[in-house]
Amino acid sequence: EAGVTQFPSHSVIEKGQTVTLRCDPISGHDNLYWYRRVMGKEIKFLLHFVKESKQDESGMPNNRFLAERTGGTYSTLKVQPAELEDSGVYFCASSQDVFGAGELFFGEGSRLTVL
Amino acid sequence: SQQGEEDPQALSIQEGENATMNCSYKTSINNLQWYRQNSGRGLVHLILIRSNEREKHSGRLRVTLDTSKKSSSLLITASRAADTASYFCATASLYNFNKFYFGSGTKLNVKP
């Protein structure tokens, strides 16, 4: 069974440009999460999808960030326009347990560097 | 912030020794989980302990949970060089157990 895959693994862009990160969760996992880790600090929650619906997007930093999950399958996280402080590692995770309280399966992360 | 906070931030031990990491959190939880991250890789789930449990074992891992003190500890016995990684605790809120809060992690270095 394939795990959670993220693309790209590393992206280097200029301030003001746009970047789109993609996450393919484990097949059949309704829950999909985005997290971000900046400069070795805590892993911060960004948002949570249940199927195609945004269950909780309280962690999204500002309106430069847009997440979508088409048809409840893969998800994209777009940053437009990117700022220096957006640099970090963006993790995607998925889980099967629709009632929560289950383990999360993580991708290897997308490292974003904004110059 | 509800995030769990791990302590210490970094830990260096010799192979064969035990490693203990602690996690403190702020609000009532449904469960607490520990994850490991090898350098440059994704997080891997290690163990889950529910709020009504006090101790749980999995191989060389022992997790304790004290809900009165809002703290947990992860003990790795007879450590190996391959245990070198960052360890994170994650809490699932009692009121929103689909939302998991992570801390900054403990970086464990096991010297051969």
Side-chain angles (χ1 to χ4, degrees):
Chain A
E1 180 183 281
V4 176
T5 55
Q6 293 187 245
F7 181 83
S9 57
H10 193 185
S11 181
V12 181
I13 60 172
E14 300 278 338
K15 175 183 171 181
Q17 290 185 320
T18 297
V19 64
T20 300
L21 310 178
R22 172 171 171 144
C23 169
D24 286 77
I26 292 173
S27 178
H29 280 194
D30 288 338
N31 292 292
L32 187 149
Y33 301 81
W34 283 98
Y35 285 88
R36 178 174 73 174
R37 190 179 194 205
V38 174
M39 290 287 289
K41 295 186 178 177
E42 74 264 29
I43 298 173
K44 278 196 166 181
F45 170 86
L46 295 179
L47 88 159
H48 168 217
F49 283 99
V50 177
K51 297 185 180 178
E52 67 276 6
S53 300
K54 289 176 187 173
Q55 186 78 6
D56 184 340
E57 54 182 331
S58 60
M60 295 287 264
N62 50 59
N63 59 10
R64 295 185 294 104
F65 288 75
L66 176 64
E68 294 178 325
R69 189 177 182 192
T70 307
T73 56
Y74 71 91
S75 175
T76 57
L77 180 64
K78 181 192 282 189
V79 185
Q80 179 183 32
E83 297 289 343
L84 298 178
E85 63 265 25
D86 300 333
S87 295
V89 181
Y90 290 77
F91 290 103
C92 175
S94 70
S95 74
Q96 188 172 31
D97 187 346
V98 297
F99 297 107
E103 73 175 269
L104 299 178
F105 294 84
F106 278 82
E108 298 205 338
S110 291
R111 180 176 295 276
L112 174 63
T113 302
V114 183
L115 302 176
Chain B
S1 168
Q2 295 185 14
Q3 275 89 348
E5 285 301 325
E6 295 86 349
D7 171 64
Q9 290 186 334
L11 180 61
S12 185
I13 59 174
Q14 291 293 139
E15 204 165 29
E17 293 180 338
N18 295 342
T20 300
M21 288 158 268
N22 302 297
C23 169
S24 59
Y25 57 92
K26 294 183 179 179
T27 63
S28 298
I29 61 170
N30 175 285
N31 68 77
L32 184 145
Q33 303 178 34
W34 285 90
Y35 287 80
R36 181 187 72 219
Q37 185 194 22
N38 290 89
S39 182
R41 307 299 298 273
L43 282 75
V44 174
H45 181 264
L46 295 175
I47 195 165
L48 180 153
I49 186 165
R50 300 195 184 279
S51 58
N52 61 353
E53 296 176 311
R54 291 296 166 259
E55 188 171 312
K56 207 159 182 183
H57 296 253
S58 177
R60 294 184 296 112
L61 306 180
R62 173 179 168 249
V63 170
T64 61
L65 179 65
D66 187 336
T67 52
S68 66
K69 293 181 179 177
K70 292 187 168 56
S71 67
S72 172
S73 68
L74 171 67
L75 168 68
I76 303 175
T77 59
S79 64
R80 305 166 182 168
D83 295 328
T84 295
S86 290
Y87 292 81
F88 295 87
C89 68
T91 54
S93 168
L94 183 63
Y95 309 108
N96 183 2
F97 48 76
N98 280 298
K99 194 169 181 177
F100 297 86
Y101 295 94
F102 287 80
S104 305
T106 291
K107 199 162 187 178
L108 174 66
N109 180 32
V110 182
K111 294 177 281 188

